[in-house]
Amino acid sequence: MFLKKLVPIIICTFYSFPSFAQLPQDSRRAGGIAVIPLTANTTQVFYEQNPVLITQEQGQRYAVFGIPLSTPLGTVTLTTNANPIQIDIKPYAYAEQRLTVKNQDYVNPNQEQLDRYAREAKEQNDIYSSFNPSTWTTFPNFIRPTAGKFSNSFGRKRFFNGEERAPHSGLDIPAPVGQKVIAPADGIVVQTGNYFFNGNTVLVDHGQGLISMFCHLSKINVEKGQHIRQGEQLGLVGNTGRVTGAHLHWGMSLNNARVDPQLFIK
Ligand SMILES: [Zn+2]
C-alpha cells in the first residue's frame, strides 16, 4: 500500500545503439571509419574539399568517412552544406613488424625503380581520389575476397631489413598460390596491372570513393572497365611484387583514405 504510493510507474525503454545491418563498423581511429548520422538538412559532406560517401539505412542517412592512417589524435572537422561535423580520433595501438626481404631492390630501389614506383603511385592515387556515383542506395554488404585467416596486419608499422617504411595499408590473407580471389561486392574494375611493390593488382570501384584493391595475384581474370558482381572471380592468389610468401593483400579506400578492411566484414 505504502510502497505503491511512493514508487512511480517506471517505463522502461531499452535504447540500443543501432547495430548496422550493412554499414561498416564505426571505429574512430587513424585507419578507421566514422559512421555519422546526418540531420535532414545535411546533404553534402566534405573532407578537405573532397566529397564523403553518403548512404542510408532504415530511414536514417549517414556519412561514411574514412579516417586516414596519418591522422593525429584530436578532432577532425568535416565541412557540409549545413553545420560542420567534428569527429574525435581515439588512440589505437598498431603492432610493429620487422621483415627481412632478400631482394634488396624492394628495400632500397634504384632510380629507375623509384621512377616506376612514382608513376604507379600517381596512377593509383588518381583512382583513390576519384568519386563516381554509386549504383546502390543501401551500403553494399561485403564478403571475404578469399578463404583464409585474416592476419591482424592492417596499420602495422613496418621495418624492412631494419628500415622503417610506410605503415601497412591493407589486410594480408595468407593463402596458397592459385586460390580463387572474388569480388567482395559489386563494382567496376577501374585498373589492372603489374606494379613494382604490389605485383599483379586489380582495383574495383564500388562507388562514391569506395575502392578495393587486390595485390600480389598470380593471375588476373578481369579487364579494366568491366562490371563485376559480388562473388565473381577476379584473379588468383600469388606472390608477385614485394612479398615474403604467397598471400592476398586486400586494401580498402574511402575518400582516398586507406582503412581497415575488417570493418566491412560482419
Ligand atoms: Zn600486404
Side-chain angles (χ1 to χ4, degrees):
M1 213 38 184
F2 176 71
L3 267 175
K4 259 188 189 165
K5 275 182 190 165
L6 280 181
V7 179
I9 299 161
I10 298 164
I11 301 164
C12 284
T13 52
F14 291 97
Y15 179 79
S16 59
F17 195 75
S19 60
F20 304 128
Q22 286 177 285
L23 286 166
Q25 204 181 309
D26 182 288
S27 180
R28 300 184 180 191
R29 45 153 160 136
I33 295 172
V35 182
I36 309 152
L38 297 177
T39 56
N41 57 347
T42 306
T43 54
Q44 288 172 303
V45 179
F46 302 93
Y47 173 62
E48 293 177 347
Q49 277 88 52
N50 299 310
V52 170
L53 187 151
I54 293 178
T55 187
Q56 58 178 320
E57 187 167 301
Q58 292 164 353
Q60 170 67 53
R61 290 163 53 260
Y62 297 89
V64 183
F65 169 58
I67 304 163
L69 262 170
S70 56
T71 311
L73 298 181
T75 305
V76 168
T77 304
L78 303 180
T79 55
T80 78
N81 64 308
N83 293 325
I85 298 167
Q86 295 206 314
I87 296 162
D88 207 17
I89 308 300
K90 299 279 192 315
Y92 192 87
Y94 287 114
E96 281 187 8
Q97 185 182 33
R98 289 169 191 275
L99 294 164
T100 305
V101 181
K102 285 196 194 95
N103 185 346
Q104 193 61 24
D105 284 353
Y106 286 128
V107 181
N108 290 307
N110 63 34
Q111 195 55 49
E112 196 187 322
Q113 290 163 330
L114 285 172
D115 291 346
R116 177 184 168 191
Y117 173 67
R119 278 196 308 276
E120 294 173 352
K122 193 197 171 295
E123 192 178 300
Q124 289 181 4
N125 212 61
D126 288 348
I127 294 168
Y128 284 138
S129 53
S130 63
F131 195 88
N132 298 308
S134 52
T135 52
W136 40 263
T137 47
T138 52
F139 199 86
N141 237 332
F142 277 72
I143 56 171
R144 290 164 182 248
T146 203
K149 200 171 169 280
F150 282 12
S151 60
N152 197 23
S153 59
F154 176 82
R156 260 185 199 159
K157 290 179 199 159
R158 296 180 303 173
F159 299 82
F160 286 94
N161 301 357
E163 297 185 35
E164 187 168 5
R165 292 292 179 267
H168 190 234
S169 61
L171 184 74
D172 289 341
I173 307 170
V177 173
Q179 181 171 292
K180 250 169 92 171
V181 179
I182 58 170
D186 293 0
I188 297 168
V189 177
V190 277
Q191 191 60 277
T192 67
N194 181 271
Y195 295 95
F196 181 63
F197 286 119
N198 295 330
N200 293 326
T201 296
V202 172
L203 285 138
V204 177
D205 188 343
H206 304 285
Q208 291 201 56
L210 178 62
I211 289 144
S212 59
M213 183 194 218
F214 308 90
C215 305
H216 313 305
L217 303 172
S218 58
K219 193 173 193 302
I220 293 174
N221 297 118
V222 289
E223 281 174 18
K224 187 177 168 176
Q226 185 183 329
H227 287 254
I228 191 164
R229 307 289 299 189
Q230 184 182 58
E232 263 182 66
Q233 186 172 320
L234 60 84
L236 301 174
V237 171
N239 52 12
T240 55
R242 182 177 65 184
V243 293
T244 52
H247 70 278
L248 175 68
H249 172 105
W250 175 28
M252 288 297 296
S253 186
L254 243 181
N255 52 261
N256 197 17
R258 258 53 85 201
V259 295
D260 190 348
Q262 289 177 104
L263 298 172
F264 294 88
I265 299 291
K266 297 286 174 296

